[in-house]
Amino acid sequence: MTEKSTGLDARIGVDLGTLRLDAALTVAPRRTLAVLGPNGAGKTTLLRALAGLVPLRHGQITLDGTVLDEPASGRYVPPERRDAGYVFQDYLLFPHLSAVDNVAFGPRVRHRTRRGPARAAALEWLARLGLAEFAHLRPAALSGGQAQRVALARALAPGPGMLLLDEPLSALDAGTRLEVRAEIRALLPTLDVPVVMVTHDPVDALTLADEVAVLEGGRVVQRGEPAEVITRPRTPYVARLAGLNLYPGTAANGTVTLGPTAGGDPRTAGAGGGGGLPGAPVHGALRVAPNAPPGAVLVALRPAEVGVHLREPPPETRVNVLTGPVVSVEALGDQVRVLVASTPAVRAEIPAARLGLLRLVRGTPVWLTVHEDALDVYPSDGATM
C-alpha cells in the first residue's frame, strides 16, 4: 500500500553571498504555493534548495515524511534522488533529443524504465498537454509555448513527489502566456503533489496559486490566499503590485495618525506602496470609519477611490480633504495615474477624459477627497514598513 502523501514541510536557511535566506513553508498535496518577490529576494535560491541544488546551511526539508536535507543531522539527499520535478526558467531541454525522448528521459533514468514503455508514457503526457503531433520535433523546432509544455511534461513524467516551477511563463510572449497559463491552471489541481512556483508576475500568482507567500530580503513577509494578500498588503512591495496606496499608522477614536508601525521604518510606505514620494516620511492623519481596529494598523486606499478637484470642495461629513501639487501624471490605458504631494502623499486614478478637463501638469495645485469608507484599515501585525 502506498503511503499517503503528506506534502512538503521546509525551513530553508541558506547563506549565499549577500543573501541570507531564512524561509519556512508548508505545501499540501494538490496545493500550489506561489512565491512572489522582487529581484534578489531569494526566490530562485529557495527553489534550488528544495531541489537539492543548493544545500541548506540550517533548517530542514521534509517531503511526505522523509527528510531530504537537515544539516544538524548530516542528512542530505542529492538532487537526482530527491523526487522533485523541476521546470527551469529557460526549460533546459536536451537539444539533440526529440520532444518525446526529452519527456521519456526522466522515467528511463530515475526508474530504469525501458525505452519503449518510457516513450509510451511520454507520449501520454504530451497528448495530455496538447503536444502529441509535435512529439517527433527537437526543441529548436518548437515554439516557446510548446517548449514550455514539453519541459513541464518532462518534469511530471517520472511521477515526482513535488513540482517546482521557476518563472514558468516569463519567457513567453503575451498571447502565448495567456494560452499556457490557462492550460497550467487546468492541470495543477489534478496533480496529487505539492507545487511551489516562484514568479515576479502577480497575474501568475493570482491565477495559478492556492496560496501566495511574499519573499523579501530572504524572509517571508506575508502569506495567505491570493485575494487576501493582494487586497490587504503588508509591505510596500505588495501594495505596489496591487496598485494601492498603503500607509502605516496608529488608530484611535476614528482617526489614524500616520507614521511607522512598531519596529518599522520611518521612511514612507506610501512611495513603495503606490502612494507617496520616494524617500519621504509618512505623516499626517486620516479620518476613518468608527469601527476601525485600534492600535497599530495599515491603511490601504485604491487610487480610483480618490476624487481630484481643481478647487477646494465644500466640507462633507466623513470625507478627508487633502491638498498638494501634482508630482507626476502617468497614462494607464484609458485611465491616468496622478501622484500628488499631499499629506500624506497619494496616487489617484482618473479617466483619461477627465484629465482633458482638469489639464493637470507637474506643479498644478489640486484638492483630493477620500471618503472614510474607502479606507481599508486592518491590524499591522508587526508588518515592516
Side-chain angles (χ1 to χ4, degrees), residues 345-358:
V346 175
R347 276 192 170 91
E349 192 172 288
I350 61 176
R354 182 159 171 74
L355 178 64
L357 296 174
L358 298 175

Side-chain angles (χ1 to χ4, degrees), residues 20-149:
R20 299 292 182 267
L21 178 61
D22 188 356
L25 56 90
T26 56
V27 190
R30 292 182 178 266
R31 300 282 288 179
T32 297
L33 173 70
V35 181
L36 194 63
N39 291 335
K43 303 187 301 297
T44 295
T45 300
L46 181 148
L47 212 62
R48 290 171 62 85
L50 290 174
L53 300 172
V54 176
L56 297 185
R57 180 74 177 270
H58 56 87
Q60 182 188 76
I61 299 172
T62 302
L63 180 64
D64 295 335
T66 299
V67 176
L68 302 180
D69 197 345
E70 188 179 51
S73 65
R75 174 68 172 167
Y76 171 75
V77 177
E80 65 272 16
R81 294 176 46 216
R82 193 160 286 206
D83 201 21
Y86 200 128
V87 179
F88 294 88
Q89 185 173 350
D90 50 2
Y91 314 141
L92 296 183
L93 296 174
F94 301 118
H96 63 291
L97 298 180
S98 66
V100 67
D101 286 326
N102 262 280
V103 178
F105 179 83
R108 292 192 67 189
V109 172
R110 187 173 298 177
H111 304 305
R112 306 290 183 181
T113 305
R114 296 179 62 182
R115 185 172 187 268
R119 293 182 98 248
L123 284 170
E124 289 182 9
W125 272 109
L126 290 173
R128 187 171 175 181
L129 290 170
L131 295 171
E133 62 183 293
F134 306 104
H136 65 288
L137 297 180
R138 292 186 178 182
L142 299 172
S143 69
Q146 292 163 355
Q148 196 277 345
R149 284 176 283 176

Side-chain angles (χ1 to χ4, degrees), residues 222-234:
Q222 186 173 357
R223 177 168 178 171
E225 294 184 358
E228 174 191 353
V229 170
I230 212 70
T231 58
R232 289 197 156 189
R234 297 197 170 278

